Amino acid sequence: MPNSLQRIAPILIIGFGLLSLIQSNEDVKIVYPSTWPKPVYDFDENPLSNSKIQLGRKLFYDPILSKDNMVSCASCHLSYTAFTHVDHAISHGIGDSIGIRNSMTLVNLAWSKHFMWDGAINHIEVQALAPISHEDEMGEEVGAVLLKLQSDPNYPVLFVQAFGDSVISSQNMLKAMAEFQLTFVSANSKYDRVLAGKDHFSEQEEKGYQIFQSKCSSCHTEPLFTNGYFENNGLPVDPNLNDMGRFGITKRSSDSLKFKVPSLRNIEFSQPYMHDGRFLSLHEVLKHYSEGIHESNTLSSQLKGGLNLTEDERLNLIHFLLTLTDKEFLFNPDLAYPRNN
Amino acid sequence: MSFRLTAFFILFTGVVSAQSNHARSVELSFVPTINGENLILGKSYSLFSDTFTISACRFYISQIQFLKDGEFVFADPTSAHLVDCSDERSTNIEIFCSNNIEFTRAQFLVGIDSATNSSGALDGDLDPTKGMYWSWQSGYINIKIEGAKTSEDSEKAEFQFHLGGYLPPNLAAQIVNIDVANTDSIQLEVDLEQFLKSIDLKARQRVMSPSAEALILSGEFSNSIHLKNAQ
């Protein structure tokens, strides 16, 4: 190699390094319809950047976060099933111990004020602490995870790119994981296209939509299909789990048996349903709302006496619910396992 | 303006602001005691005919402010300080304020306020890996006291108090006001004997989550903080 090139090589490397740093750190903005409410997450305060999102993505799919290095976030939250654990009513975690709740769909989290079925978590950035340190989920101490990441051959470099610091702090790890999950925006279902005037409902879907608006949307409010609150939708308590929902957090009797209203986006792919996964199909869910409502003190008034939907109404409703499937979101390669890393 | 002049101004303003804003350091020291002695973790103390050991004593102090005649004159910009009795340095909180501040009262929070509790992933003393954060349910543990009691019949009972809560009605952070002359060293005794006396250890040995009980014990803990002496 010519001498002069040798001499400038380090400068070139530093130069290119800086360039790539600047490039990969450009602010990223999530895209959603202009008719949607403003996100709850403060993006002005914490703008997303590509390098943090990619780091968060790697962490999300990496079993290094668990004690036995076998379980990753994606073990229970798969992107092509709307980021939920299919076929298991109660999510399995480390060593196959069984948690007490059904995994949740991870969708439009930037609009969420509370996380988990009972709202135990108050901010997306601290959410990951719960599954990592929960003995039934990933069974690891967060401090031990940080040490593993620090001694990994790849992570310190990625943390430098993302945060300009090779010392891996819990704050930076958590922020990166949050950033990746904040990009889980589902806004391109048939329903969205119909609303934007780019598609139209079939007759059955249209009828289903009308029933939905009169019977369901007080809780599953458009466009996010959740009102963001905790409600009791009339499920009888499972005596084996005795899960009182929001009450466990606030200890207020008025919160007894209330659970976070889940979004219904991509509901076609997120069975089993409800906090304990007790229903395997949308038919069963609608049977519950029609004739299975369990009366109790905190039952939402809209559901008193059940909704008594006819067989036809149920079918139409299901046709409508299937229009909430967003294939672009479910099969978005940017959200899938990072194969090139 | 020439470069030299600019440089001079920057230097000059830097020096002046450093002088007027940061010349004074006030030390707020927390001295945990038991039986009137300074606490040593793991040591056995005789109290109310039982033997006590304390294995952990950690708490957050935040929003330190100085008042003069009822008016706020200074607020500590550091969001929170973790006082850990196993680390002596952490028990002395150094506060930098301007020289011309005079105060007649110090005020602080034992614990972390609701807004900070809902602000996502924080660092420094508020790093959630410091053992003062509930991971399964968001929120800081404001006060952590752990130890064991051995009664006369040599029955040993361990106790663990993890006190916190940021949601109403169980807002656990406690405001403490200390009337103190304008001094550079405020020494506060944390009378653990008084705290332990307030608890019926037969009935409750563990408080591990936000609750009405946690609220009561948080009040007892902050009541056991007294002005020791001020030089």
Side-chain angles (χ1 to χ4, degrees), chain A residues 116 119-123 125-127 129-131 133-134 142-143 146 169-171 174-175 246 248-252, chain B residues 114 117-124 127-129 133-139 166-170 209-212:
Chain A
M116 316 307 243
I121 305 294
N122 65 19
H123 196 291
E125 288 171 7
V126 290
Q127 192 283 333
L129 293 168
S133 46
H134 193 295
V142 181
L146 296 175
S169 67
S170 72
Q171 185 181 45
L174 292 169
K175 283 199 186 257
R246 186 70 178 152
I249 303 302
T250 62
K251 313 265 163 55
R252 274 197 282 225
Chain B
S114 293
N117 262 296
S118 320
S119 302
L122 303 174
D123 60 357
D127 184 330
T129 62
Y133 194 84
W134 280 298
S135 50
W136 45 272
Q137 169 179 3
S138 302
Y166 70 94
L167 284 174
N170 295 320
S209 61
S211 59

Side-chain angles (χ1 to χ4, degrees), chain B residues 26-31 38 91-92 178 180 183-190 225-231:
Chain B
V26 178
E27 199 167 62
L28 197 64
S29 311
F30 289 86
V31 186
N38 289 7
T91 62
N92 298 316
I178 304 283
V180 59
T183 163
D184 288 343
S185 166
I186 305 171
Q187 296 211 15
L188 299 167
E189 173 180 20
V190 183
I225 299 177
H226 313 286
L227 185 65
K228 200 169 176 223
N229 60 351
Q231 290 110 31

Side-chain angles (χ1 to χ4, degrees), chain B residues 91-105:
Chain B
T91 62
N92 298 316
I93 301 173
E94 196 170 12
I95 299 157
F96 297 99
C97 63
S98 113
N99 237 340
N100 43 30
I101 276 178
E102 278 185 32
F103 55 88
T104 54
R105 169 179 284 187

Side-chain angles (χ1 to χ4, degrees), chain A residues 270-287:
Chain A
S270 62
Q271 72 277 23
Y273 301 116
M274 305 300 170
H275 68 269
D276 53 5
R278 67 178 70 188
F279 300 133
L280 300 179
S281 68
L282 290 172
H283 280 284
E284 285 180 45
V285 170
L286 293 182
K287 189 160 179 253

